[in-house]
Amino acid sequence: MNIEKQLNIEKQLNIEKQRVVILGIKDTSASNFNRAMEELVNLASACDMEVVASFQQVASTGSSTYIGSGKIEEIKSFCSENDVGTVITLHELSPSQLRNLDEALDLAVFDRTALILEIFARRAKSKEAKLQVDVARLQYEMPRMIGSYTALSRQAGSQGAMRSRGTGETKLELDRRRIERQIHEMNQDLQLIAQQRQVQRRKRKKQGLYNVALVGYTNAGKSTLMNRLISISQNGMAEKEVYVKDQLFATLETSVRNIHIPPYPPFILSDTVGFVSELPHQLIKAFHSTLEEAIEADILLHVVDYSDSDHQVHIDTTRETLRDIGAGLIEEILVLNKSDMTTDTIMPNGHSSIKISALTGDGVDELVKTLFDFRFQSDSMEILLPYDRMDMLFLIQEECMTLTSMEEEEGYLMTIKGPAHILNRLKAFKTE
Ligand SMILES: Nc1nc2c(ncn2[C@@H]2O[C@H](COP(=O)(O)OP(=O)(O)OP(=O)(O)O)[C@@H](O)[C@H]2O)c(=O)[nH]1
Ligand SMILES: [Mg+2]
């Protein structure tokens, strides 16, 4: 595929409701394959495309055109009869496969990775997200561009046109260096932004607030749960709600909010990008810093769309990705969301889970309680705090949960629950 064609695809991608067909090689069990193809339809619709047909072929290993010639003809005639100009493949194609299939079909061809990159590019709003997507895209495009140059120069060579081959190679080298330089500069900018983020995170850490991160498969309801918690939060200042939509990758950046739901102390809640199976590796790397918020959390709220029959696969995918980014050992609470849409009573076993509906609010109180049961694993403690220890009173208000409080002659008589390190500091005031 040459660069002009590539740009053409990008142009076409910007047209609303583009008609496309999807194509997959069935190299796994029928159920896995169907699930993956269904997800591809959802990814396409997240990119404003309408999937008009789905083609499949039983495994053909290492084909230079991904599929066989019979299937190519079938797709070609279907597309010309049905006014379809674009084919999306389930697997990531090698640069040469992409080029060969593109030429054989004479249609715009792109793979699942390119589709996901396009969705991310469309959703990116902040400078950081835009840079991350640009880096990932360039990394994806570079070998494919090299492939197209190599093909061009091979063609030229076979016709004996040495001069044009030389020109192609020089241009290739220049473009390659230009892109490498661009990637390098963008990575430097990203590093700067990541450092600023780190400073903010350190500040929050210093405050010692409970740091909770929402994670989970895309479209599970993480942002809806965040908004629900914001709506019942009683901060002095109202926190801004986050974007929710019934589409894959509605959220791309991390939003951090301060939540205070009495009688519990305030905590920090972050909502981040959702996971998907086989997230392109270029993106995992690029989004590492976005996901860092999750890596440094005290606890993860792993949100699952419990009404989706594939929820166990989604749980596994999310855990795998968490391990990949280095957050695999953080304590998690499995939040079985959208329980208003299912009567399923089988709970995934082996971990602490809780059923809720972020939409109706059912189970959310219980979830907050569970969250703080994790935080305050010790028993409650009774203290008598002298009136001149306002510093400690402040600490209690910030970090602990006050079960009872009375004003006595010598000070406040309180029963509190709190994180072990804070209770340790308050030991001196413990009543017998
Ligand atoms: N019925 C029902 N729908 C829900 C519930 N929670 C979320 N939804 C819907 O599910 C869709 C996705 O919700 P989001 O909160 O955007 O999901 P997300 O996990 O943030 O998704 P990404 O940001 O794309 O990763 C929206 O249409 C929500 O209205 C729920 O408890 N019940
Ligand atoms: Mg979201």
Side-chain angles (χ1 to χ4, degrees):
M1 182 170 55
N2 62 34
I3 299 301
E4 261 168 24
K5 232 177 184 174
Q6 174 104 28
L7 290 175
N8 229 347
I9 292 174
E10 280 168 21
K11 245 187 253 157
Q12 286 178 32
L13 275 164
N14 287 326
I15 300 167
E16 296 278 296
K17 285 287 169 221
Q18 188 185 352
R19 287 160 65 79
V20 304
V21 299
I22 58 171
L23 161 65
I25 286 184
K26 199 169 169 181
D27 55 3
T28 53
S29 70
S31 66
N32 281 348
F33 176 76
N34 291 340
R35 185 180 303 128
M37 288 296 267
E38 218 173 277
E39 185 172 82
L40 193 60
V41 172
N42 289 333
L43 286 168
S45 86
C47 214
D48 290 319
M49 294 170 173
E50 183 193 352
V51 176
V52 292
S54 155
F55 291 87
Q56 54 173 283
Q57 187 175 318
V58 182
S60 74
T61 41
S63 163
S64 65
T65 45
Y66 184 58
I67 47 166
S69 55
K71 192 57 74 181
I72 288 181
E73 287 313 312
E74 190 187 331
I75 295 175
K76 239 176 141 168
S77 67
F78 177 90
C79 289
S80 81
E81 279 162 26
N82 292 280
D83 194 26
V84 175
T86 307
V87 179
I88 301 169
T89 66
L90 178 62
H91 296 93
E92 182 169 324
L93 301 180
S94 71
S96 67
Q97 271 182 326
L98 183 64
R99 189 178 63 243
N100 294 339
L101 186 60
D102 188 277
E103 276 167 10
L105 281 170
D106 201 21
L107 294 163
V109 177
F110 51 102
D111 58 23
R112 183 177 179 273
T113 303
L115 185 63
I116 293 180
L117 287 170
E118 176 64 25
I119 298 172
F120 274 70
R122 288 180 181 206
R123 304 261 196 282
K125 290 207 176 58
S126 70
K127 186 178 170 207
E128 181 177 29
K130 282 184 179 150
L131 275 169
Q132 285 170 330
V133 176
D134 283 347
V135 169
R137 270 186 139 182
L138 284 176
Q139 278 167 344
Y140 171 82
E141 278 164 17
M142 197 152 74
R144 282 154 184 87
M145 187 182 87
I146 290 168
S148 73
Y149 277 115
T150 320
L152 271 179
S153 54
R154 244 203 326 269
Q155 249 177 351
S158 66
Q159 290 159 3
M162 295 304 286
R163 219 177 124 241
S164 67
R165 181 171 96 182
T167 316
E169 280 177 359
T170 315
K171 185 160 176 0
L172 160 69
E173 187 53 32
L174 284 174
D175 277 356
R176 196 174 59 83
R177 267 192 247 149
R178 183 176 51 82
I179 292 178
E180 275 173 355
R181 201 171 45 239
Q182 234 175 320
I183 292 179
H184 178 72
E185 281 167 10
M186 290 196 283
N187 274 331
Q188 277 181 330
D189 288 349
L190 278 170
Q191 238 169 353
L192 264 178
I193 300 176
Q195 275 164 10
Q196 289 161 2
R197 257 176 187 293
Q198 182 131 27
V199 171
Q200 288 168 355
R201 264 204 310 273
R202 282 219 190 101
K203 240 195 225 160
R204 283 201 299 269
K205 237 191 176 130
K206 242 187 176 163
Q207 286 177 345
L209 288 181
Y210 193 21
N211 197 340
V212 182
L214 290 160
V215 295
Y217 212 74
T218 175
N219 212 42
K222 300 177 292 299
S223 301
T224 309
L225 178 56
M226 178 148 198
N227 286 344
R228 166 69 51 186
L229 292 168
I230 288 172
S231 76
I232 56 175
S233 171
Q234 307 201 344
N235 288 343
M237 223 175 7
E239 291 271 8
K240 214 171 128 228
E241 294 209 337
V242 292
Y243 179 68
V244 166
K245 197 159 179 211
D246 192 10
Q247 63 183 13
L248 305 188
F249 303 119
T251 305
L252 262 208
E253 8 224 274
T254 301
S255 307
V256 181
R257 300 287 186 270
N258 202 308
I259 310 283
H260 186 192
I261 303 169
Y264 306 101
F267 63 100
I268 301 280
L269 184 67
S270 64
D271 174 30
T272 189
V273 57
F275 301 133
V276 70
S277 67
E278 288 165 56
L279 192 68
H281 65 276
Q282 298 94 335
L283 275 177
I284 293 208
K285 207 170 151 219
F287 276 79
H288 204 276
S289 65
T290 310
L291 295 169
E292 263 169 22
E293 213 71 46
I295 301 174
E296 297 196 5
D298 296 311
I299 193 161
L300 304 175
L301 288 181
H302 178 168
V303 183
V304 183
D305 179 350
Y306 191 42
S307 70
D308 190 322
S309 54
D310 288 336
H311 64 255
Q312 190 56 51
V313 180
H314 294 172
I315 293 173
D316 296 342
T317 301
T318 302
R319 293 225 171 101
E320 234 168 74
T321 317
L322 285 170
R323 273 197 297 275
D324 285 348
I325 61 164
L329 292 176
I330 304 174
E331 195 99 55
E332 75 166 41
I333 300 174
L334 199 61
V335 181
L336 307 174
N337 190 34
K338 306 198 189 180
S339 63
D340 55 295
M341 295 218 294
T342 174
T343 48
D344 206 342
T345 49
I346 308 162
M347 306 281 263
N349 50 22
H351 21 250
S352 150
S353 58
I354 179 158
K355 263 202 269 185
I356 69 152
S357 166
L359 202 66
T360 65
D362 268 2
V364 173
D365 289 348
E366 181 68 20
L367 174 66
V368 179
K369 183 182 172 300
T370 311
L371 199 55
F372 280 94
D373 283 346
F374 264 93
R375 175 75 161 169
F376 308 148
Q377 279 169 356
S378 54
D379 291 333
S380 58
M381 184 165 106
E382 193 184 62
I383 56 165
L384 183 64
L385 189 70
Y387 289 118
D388 61 357
R389 294 308 300 265
M390 291 313 281
D391 55 334
M392 287 298 166
L393 188 63
F394 183 69
L395 195 66
I396 293 168
Q397 281 165 349
E398 280 293 299
E399 303 266 3
C400 303
M401 192 176 149
T402 309
L403 303 176
T404 61
S405 175
M406 276 185 300
E407 289 183 19
E408 298 287 327
E409 210 172 298
E410 312 89 83
Y412 295 105
L413 183 67
M414 316 170 96
T415 321
I416 55 170
K417 270 190 155 195
H421 67 282
I422 301 290
L423 294 188
N424 243 344
R425 289 178 64 182
L426 293 165
K427 255 190 187 146
F429 308 106
K430 210 171 157 189
T431 55
E432 287 313 312

